[in-house]
Amino acid sequence: TPFPLLDGREVVTALRTGCHPEQPSECDPDFYRLMIACWKMQPGNRPPFSDLAMRLQRLVAKHRPSSDH
Protein backbone atom coordinates (compact mmCIF):
# COMPACT_ATOMS: atom_id res chain seq x y z
CA THR A 1 0.00 0.00 0.00
CA PRO A 2 1.31 3.48 -0.78
CA PHE A 3 0.25 4.72 2.70
CA PRO A 4 1.05 1.85 5.07
CA LEU A 5 0.63 3.93 8.24
CA LEU A 6 -2.79 5.38 7.36
CA ASP A 7 -6.25 3.86 7.63
CA GLY A 8 -8.78 4.27 4.80
CA ARG A 9 -10.28 7.51 6.09
CA GLU A 10 -6.83 9.04 6.58
CA VAL A 11 -5.83 8.07 3.04
CA VAL A 12 -8.85 9.89 1.60
CA THR A 13 -8.03 12.98 3.67
CA ALA A 14 -4.38 12.85 2.60
CA LEU A 15 -5.30 12.58 -1.09
CA ARG A 16 -7.82 15.41 -0.86
CA THR A 17 -5.13 17.70 0.55
CA GLY A 18 -2.76 16.85 -2.29
CA CYS A 19 -0.58 14.36 -0.44
CA HIS A 20 0.83 11.63 -2.67
CA PRO A 21 3.16 8.71 -2.03
CA GLU A 22 6.81 9.64 -2.33
CA GLN A 23 8.65 8.75 -5.50
CA PRO A 24 10.33 5.36 -5.05
CA SER A 25 14.07 5.52 -5.63
CA GLU A 26 13.84 3.11 -8.57
CA CYS A 27 10.99 5.03 -10.23
CA ASP A 28 11.81 7.10 -13.30
CA PRO A 29 11.02 10.81 -12.64
CA ASP A 30 9.00 11.04 -15.90
CA PHE A 31 6.85 8.08 -14.85
CA TYR A 32 6.32 9.59 -11.39
CA ARG A 33 5.23 12.92 -12.94
CA LEU A 34 2.74 10.98 -15.05
CA MET A 35 1.38 9.26 -11.93
CA ILE A 36 1.04 12.64 -10.17
CA ALA A 37 -0.91 13.96 -13.18
CA CYS A 38 -3.30 11.00 -12.90
CA TRP A 39 -3.95 11.75 -9.21
CA LYS A 40 -5.40 15.22 -9.82
CA MET A 41 -8.64 15.64 -7.88
CA GLN A 42 -10.63 17.08 -10.80
CA PRO A 43 -11.05 14.55 -13.61
CA GLY A 44 -10.77 17.34 -16.19
CA ASN A 45 -7.27 18.11 -14.93
CA ARG A 46 -6.08 14.54 -15.51
CA PRO A 47 -4.48 13.54 -18.81
CA PRO A 48 -6.86 11.86 -21.27
CA PHE A 49 -6.36 8.17 -21.96
CA SER A 50 -4.96 8.80 -25.43
CA ASP A 51 -2.27 11.03 -23.90
CA LEU A 52 -1.51 8.42 -21.22
CA ALA A 53 -1.10 5.70 -23.84
CA MET A 54 1.27 7.84 -25.90
CA ARG A 55 3.34 8.93 -22.88
CA LEU A 56 3.57 5.37 -21.54
CA GLN A 57 4.72 4.10 -24.94
CA ARG A 58 7.48 6.73 -24.92
CA LEU A 59 8.54 5.77 -21.40
CA VAL A 60 8.66 2.09 -22.28
CA ALA A 61 10.74 2.84 -25.39
CA LYS A 62 13.07 5.05 -23.34
CA HIS A 63 13.73 2.25 -20.87
CA ARG A 64 13.82 -0.67 -23.27
CA PRO A 65 17.28 -2.23 -23.31
CA SER A 66 19.20 -1.42 -26.45
CA SER A 67 19.64 -4.28 -28.91
CA ASP A 68 22.99 -2.86 -30.07
CA HIS A 69 25.82 -5.28 -29.24
Side-chain angles (χ1 to χ4, degrees), residues 8-28:
R9 204 171 270 163
E10 292 170 323
V11 169
V12 170
T13 300
L15 292 174
R16 284 187 176 152
T17 60
C19 182
H20 302 293
E22 290 184 19
Q23 179 179 344
S25 59
E26 63 278 356
C27 180
D28 178 85

Side-chain angles (χ1 to χ4, degrees), residues 7-57:
D7 66 29
R9 204 171 270 163
E10 292 170 323
V11 169
V12 170
T13 300
L15 292 174
R16 284 187 176 152
T17 60
C19 182
H20 302 293
E22 290 184 19
Q23 179 179 344
S25 59
E26 63 278 356
C27 180
D28 178 85
D30 292 329
F31 186 73
Y32 186 72
R33 281 191 288 277
L34 182 58
M35 292 188 316
I36 294 290
C38 292
W39 293 333
K40 301 279 185 186
M41 287 300 293
Q42 297 298 320
N45 293 335
R46 299 175 198 149
F49 184 77
S50 57
D51 187 41
L52 284 175
M54 181 182 61
R55 290 168 70 180
L56 285 170
Q57 285 176 343

